[in-house]
Amino acid sequence: MSYQDSSGAGGIAVPTIPCLFTSPPPIKDNLPTESSVLQDATVKECLPFLTNSSNFHAHVNTHGVPHLDRSRHVAFLHKQLGKLPPQFKAADPSRPWFFYWCLAALAVLGEDVEDYRSRLVGTVRPMQNQGGGFAGGFGQMSHLATTYATVLALVLVGGEDAYETVDRRAMWRWLSSLKQPDGGFQMAVGGEEDVRGAYCAAVIISLLNLPLDLAPDSPARASGHTRLFDGLAEWVRRCQTYEGGISAKPGVEAHGAYAFCALGCLSILDSPTRSFAKYLDVPKLMSWLSSRQDAPAAGFSGRTNKLVDGCYSHWVGGCWPLIEASLNAARGGSSPPPPEKQQPTPTAGRPSAATSTAALFSRDGLIRYILCCCQDQSKRGGLRDKPSKISDAYHTCYVLSGLSSAQHKWDLVTTRADGGILDTDEWAASPFSEGKQIFDEEDRVKPVHPVYVIPKDKAEAARQYFMMKTGF
């Protein structure tokens, strides 16, 4: 293995790592706070992994980036889909999430998950309530989050048996009961209303091709709504905060996961080339999203003055492909952004982590954080929040999804007609190739649909199946 023009003791070649990732931030506030103390500790925790100064990784490439330990992560995910120890009893209401997290992560790693079809169908069928939707566990009430996870899991394994597990008529009536007079969706009957509901409902409705007309007894009809998506985009707009980020509901703190939910929902309601600018202050949102990534870790945090966390590789990192594609398509192609949108020239001695002036976020920085800091290199495998945390199915799924977003470029090849709700935009993925690639090609994962967060072919197969149905 040959390294770039840098040698260590005894002439042993060592990788060249930009100083952006090897030293603390150059500007430091001298007023210590609880947040700043935690931030300093996190930087101290991550630096040895970013520089490999303690030999955490047996092998790194010429850029100081370790390989993706694919086989160990695959083994971890299969184990998570097996019998879990008694300590997991508290997570019983989240069983569908484990199905989705593990199956989605396996698919991103290139594994065939169709062998899980019969087991999944047999497990989730009794979790579907007669009134519609899926519960988190047996005998529990239906919840929009676990219904979303179950539907995506069934779409991942694919096939008629999986698709037909869903009672679409009951699902439609149940979603109608969650639709609120203000345009949003509750997560469960009588439960909280937040932007997760907007996204989860939009995904379910679009994948299953449910009728858009509301059931006659929907509470939303009291305010004049007649369709499932009436007023939804307007409700999402009210969730944008003074910072530019998106909150769970109007009037609370902006959060990275809710930003993705908002953009995903708006991408289903209309082409993002129109819906983003129509309902959101996009420059302000981009500014807030950009502030979630900082050096030296270069992963993403979820909120202002919070710590880097691997899961935001998707929740924040997954926002950028949607925004980039919408901006490029709105300009009529994939040309670089205008000068005012390009990144500033880096400070002398602190080279930019971006591979191209056309990048809206540091892909290289995110990839470096994921492969250096988020991989559990023990026999356990899986991916994690940060080096001090233990790996789990949740982080494994969303860290890998974020890695996929950073390694690929998504384009809107064609956009739907104006106002074409549930019409499909044509999304196309290609390896991101601008600049010098810092990871080895063997460590590239599969692309995932930027809206549905599953492989594009899986989403398209489900949509085509349900589009062929007339009525229920």
Side-chain angles (χ1 to χ4, degrees):
M1 179 181 294
S2 62
Y3 290 108
Q4 295 177 349
D5 59 40
S6 181
S7 298
I12 299 175
V14 296
T16 299
I17 305 173
C19 63
L20 186 66
F21 308 111
T22 61
S23 57
I27 300 175
K28 181 173 173 60
D29 190 335
N30 291 325
L31 176 64
T33 65
E34 182 179 353
S35 295
S36 70
V37 170
L38 288 173
Q39 175 63 19
D40 290 345
T42 300
V43 169
K44 186 176 180 180
E45 170 188 335
C46 291
L47 277 175
F49 288 85
L50 292 165
T51 60
N52 201 35
S53 58
S54 298
N55 296 317
F56 290 109
H57 310 292
H59 301 287
V60 295
N61 65 15
T62 59
H63 302 280
V65 176
H67 289 294
L68 178 67
D69 199 343
R70 193 182 300 265
S71 60
R72 189 165 290 172
H73 302 327
V74 167
F76 169 80
L77 290 163
H78 283 304
K79 188 173 182 179
Q80 292 285 302
L81 285 169
K83 187 174 182 180
L84 298 175
Q87 294 90 328
F88 279 82
K89 285 182 179 179
D92 182 64
S94 299
R95 291 182 72 192
W97 280 114
F98 281 85
F99 306 152
Y100 165 67
W101 293 331
C102 294
L103 293 171
L106 286 168
V108 174
L109 290 170
E111 297 294 303
D112 185 357
V113 298
E114 292 184 2
D115 287 345
Y116 281 103
R117 182 185 299 146
S118 61
R119 285 176 56 190
L120 179 68
V121 169
T123 301
V124 304
R125 182 175 281 129
M127 296 161 67
Q128 183 171 214
N129 287 312
Q130 186 174 0
F134 289 87
F138 301 117
Q140 300 169 17
M141 68 184 299
S142 296
H143 194 278
L144 196 44
T146 52
T147 300
Y148 160 87
T150 303
V151 169
L152 287 185
L154 290 168
V155 171
L156 279 162
V157 298
E160 185 174 359
D161 289 348
Y163 299 152
E164 291 297 329
T165 300
V166 182
D167 184 336
R168 293 172 64 248
R169 181 186 293 275
M171 181 75 77
W172 168 72
R173 291 190 62 87
W174 179 66
L175 288 172
S176 294
S177 72
L178 300 180
K179 178 71 174 180
Q180 297 301 295
D182 62 5
F185 282 88
Q186 290 181 329
M187 296 301 293
V189 175
E192 72 275 26
E193 180 183 5
D194 60 45
V195 79
R196 292 176 304 158
Y199 172 65
C200 291
V203 167
I204 294 166
I205 292 165
S206 61
L207 284 178
L208 301 181
N209 189 35
L210 296 179
L212 293 180
D213 291 336
L214 283 169
D217 55 353
S218 171
R221 285 190 174 271
S223 61
H225 295 314
T226 60
R227 311 191 87 197
L228 281 165
F229 287 155
D230 283 357
L232 185 57
E234 289 79 7
W235 188 87
V236 169
R237 176 169 54 194
R238 293 173 53 215
C239 294
Q240 186 165 26
T241 76
Y242 72 95
E243 292 184 283
I246 310 296
S247 59
K249 57 185 179 180
V252 298
E253 184 184 15
H255 191 287
Y258 300 130
F260 176 81
C261 288
L263 293 177
C265 175
L266 293 177
S267 296
I268 292 171
L269 298 181
D270 195 2
S271 174
T273 58
R274 291 184 294 269
S275 61
F276 289 2
K278 183 177 180 180
Y279 294 105
L280 298 174
D281 184 333
V282 177
K284 203 171 181 180
L285 174 60
M286 290 169 61
S287 176
W288 185 85
L289 290 169
S290 296
S291 299
R292 306 280 64 76
Q293 186 177 32
D294 55 28
F300 288 104
S301 66
R303 291 179 286 162
T304 301
N305 287 331
K306 293 296 182 179
L307 304 176
V308 66
D309 183 335
C311 71
Y312 296 110
S313 302
H314 163 65
W315 293 120
V316 176
C319 292
W320 289 119
L322 294 169
I323 292 174
E324 286 181 336
S326 68
L327 293 176
N328 286 334
R331 288 194 298 269
S334 298
S335 56
E340 65 272 15
K341 296 294 186 184
Q342 295 185 5
Q343 295 187 348
T345 302
T347 303
R350 305 284 298 184
S352 170
T355 56
S356 166
T357 55
L360 295 180
F361 71 109
S362 174
R363 293 172 182 265
D364 284 359
L366 179 59
I367 292 169
R368 189 177 294 275
Y369 178 72
I370 289 172
L371 294 179
C372 290
C373 297
C374 293
Q375 295 194 84
D376 188 330
Q377 296 285 336
S378 70
K379 291 182 180 179
R380 176 182 175 85
L383 291 105
R384 59 197 177 192
D385 165 350
K386 54 178 68 72
S388 59
K389 305 295 184 180
I390 193 170
S391 60
D392 56 63
Y394 167 83
H395 283 90
T396 302
C397 173
Y398 291 123
V399 170
L400 288 173
S401 295
L403 179 61
S404 177
S405 294
Q407 291 178 336
H408 296 90
K409 179 178 182 292
W410 282 92
D411 288 302
L412 274 168
V413 180
T414 57
T415 58
R416 74 190 86 169
D418 191 6
I421 292 178
L422 292 191
D423 288 346
T424 54
D425 298 314
E426 179 59 31
W427 293 88
S430 59
F432 185 78
S433 58
E434 297 179 33
K436 184 175 291 185
Q437 182 171 300
I438 68 165
F439 62 93
D440 293 345
E441 189 58 33
E442 66 189 81
D443 300 319
R444 189 184 298 276
V445 297
K446 300 294 184 181
V448 294
H449 195 289
V451 175
Y452 297 108
V453 203
I454 56 176
K456 178 186 173 185
D457 63 315
K458 297 288 188 178
E460 289 182 342
R463 281 185 55 82
Q464 290 173 6
Y465 179 86
F466 290 112
M467 288 291 288
M468 297 297 293
K469 285 185 169 291
T470 54
F472 295 110

